Amino acid sequence: MSTKKLLKTLTAVALAAATLVGAAACGEKTPQPQGAESSTQTPDITEAQEKAIRKSILDVLDASDNAKKPDGLSARVTGPAQQVRTSELSIAQATGSLDPKATIPKDIAQTIIPTQSGWPRSVFSITTTTKDQQSKRLLVMTQQGPRSNYKLWGVVRLFQGAKLPEFAIPSIGASLGSPDDSGLSMTPQQAVDEYADVLTHGQQSKFAARFSNDYFRQDLDKLSATVQQGMERNHGTQTQTFTPVKNEIAVMRSSEGGDLVVSQINSEWTRIAGEGRESQPASDAERALFGQGKATGTMKVTYVNVLAFYVPPAKSGKKVVAVGAERQPIKVEAL
């Protein structure tokens, strides 16, 4: 395969994978809130306050999107959400437009408000589909202290047909979980750590059988297989390694006993062209981030992956399943 054809193949499959991760529409099954009480406490935040918080966050995002600059994001955006949006805006500066997957609808289908009065604490809200029928977004908004603004910490595009657990109505409130919650098929942190191993090693991972199959893994497998075919023709190689980011995790307990977990898992995709060839960016997003960099035989791309899981109760006998994901390149280097 010629270098030109290989680059076209890499670009096509990378763009296809980015589309597939969020390829969900009105067929999604967002659960309806349940009336069963989850705690003796009552929530300190009302639905009206959640709406005001979310509007303040989206106003900051809109201002940055319109300017195509990340200036001011830190006032209302943090964690992986800030890393992802900063990258998206950098790419928009180079391409002239923001990727449609960055869209966050103004309206929500459901909000999950915690009963905890202490800090830090999080609110989970699920948006409607976008106007062009992209998937619903799961928003995680966090507050670090009583005098701190709520900030958007994570955004996950839910998979088509994803079945989320049920939660108490906002006026009753749900209970925040923790990375070491017990009574589940595994702790939330264990689910994140083991899933990262499955992403790195595929079916060779000793944890593979503990997780249901999902769109994110399917897309990565297809992308890796297609790229590998091109690499082998030129005696090149590629590797992807996935690493959980310490303390970047949010957990909400459901009415049915399981946990909805959102966590950041970073990855590095290293591609070696082989046979004296140059390794080039594999998508428009990578190309925009690479800019005027000088290509060499090896390229390393760092991605931020934000994953949402459902960790079921231990007694259910069910596997952990990923219900949504966001994947964004944030750094492209020639080594």
Side-chain angles (χ1 to χ4, degrees), residues 9-321:
T9 299
L10 285 170
T11 300
V13 296
L15 290 173
T19 300
L20 285 170
V21 166
C26 54
E28 289 180 75
K29 301 175 182 177
T30 300
Q32 295 303 308
Q34 300 297 300
E37 185 167 339
S38 62
S39 171
T40 56
Q41 297 177 297
T42 57
D44 286 341
I45 301 170
T46 65
E47 290 180 83
Q49 288 172 320
E50 182 278 338
K51 183 177 181 180
I53 290 167
R54 185 163 33 84
K55 182 181 183 303
S56 296
I57 290 171
L58 294 180
D59 285 347
V60 168
L61 284 173
D62 285 345
S64 294
D65 293 350
N66 291 334
K68 295 186 178 64
K69 294 181 180 179
D71 303 349
L73 274 182
S74 60
R76 284 290 188 170
V77 188
T78 189
Q82 184 176 11
Q83 292 177 279
V84 168
R85 184 57 59 128
T86 297
S87 171
E88 290 170 338
L89 291 169
S90 295
I91 293 167
Q93 290 173 12
T95 63
S97 61
L98 195 66
D99 193 316
K101 77 179 181 64
T103 302
I104 299 177
K106 306 292 185 185
D107 297 323
I108 61 169
Q110 180 183 359
T111 188
I112 308 162
I113 297 175
T115 56
Q116 275 82 352
S117 57
W119 290 271
R121 59 188 178 189
S122 301
V123 175
F124 287 26
S125 293
I126 299 170
T127 73
T128 57
T129 56
T130 65
K131 291 181 179 179
D132 59 353
Q133 295 301 298
Q134 292 182 57
S135 66
K136 296 173 182 176
R137 276 60 164 149
L138 169 59
L139 312 179
V140 180
M141 298 169 283
T142 63
Q143 184 185 37
Q144 292 300 312
R147 296 177 180 82
S148 302
N149 284 330
Y150 270 91
K151 296 184 179 184
L152 181 65
W153 172 85
V155 180
V156 175
R157 288 178 288 162
L158 295 176
F159 299 144
Q160 183 174 9
K163 180 171 173 42
L164 274 67
E166 297 174 342
F167 294 92
I169 59 175
S171 61
I172 292 176
S175 179
L176 284 175
S178 67
D180 59 354
D181 276 353
S182 60
L184 307 170
S185 61
M186 63 182 75
T187 69
Q189 188 62 61
Q190 186 180 1
V192 174
D193 295 344
E194 292 188 6
Y195 189 79
D197 189 85
V198 173
L199 291 175
T200 299
H201 301 291
Q203 291 303 314
Q204 301 305 312
S205 169
K206 62 182 180 181
F207 306 118
R210 293 163 62 85
F211 294 84
S212 295
N213 201 2
D214 61 74
Y215 285 114
F216 188 68
R217 289 166 61 193
Q218 291 171 14
D219 291 347
L220 283 177
D221 287 346
K222 290 176 184 177
L223 174 60
S224 179
T226 303
V227 172
Q228 186 63 26
Q229 290 176 7
M231 288 289 187
E232 288 177 353
R233 292 190 183 96
N234 297 297
H235 305 290
T237 61
Q238 57 141 350
T239 58
Q240 291 196 68
T241 57
F242 293 78
T243 306
V245 179
K246 187 176 181 180
N247 298 325
E248 295 293 358
I249 183 172
V251 184
M252 192 75 75
R253 294 174 179 167
S254 71
S255 299
E256 56 201 55
D259 280 3
L260 180 59
V261 180
V262 183
S263 184
Q264 179 180 359
I265 300 176
N266 286 355
S267 61
E268 290 184 347
W269 187 9
T270 302
R271 305 186 295 263
I272 302 175
E275 294 187 344
R277 290 175 168 78
E278 292 182 345
S279 183
Q280 298 286 343
S283 67
D284 289 341
E286 288 189 8
R287 190 172 296 107
L289 292 174
F290 191 54
Q292 300 302 312
K294 180 175 175 55
T296 64
T298 302
M299 180 154 286
K300 183 175 75 173
V301 185
T302 302
Y303 280 80
V304 167
N305 307 283
V306 188
L307 281 300
F309 308 91
Y310 174 54
V311 183
K315 62 183 179 181
S316 71
K318 296 180 179 179
K319 298 179 180 181
V320 176
V321 60

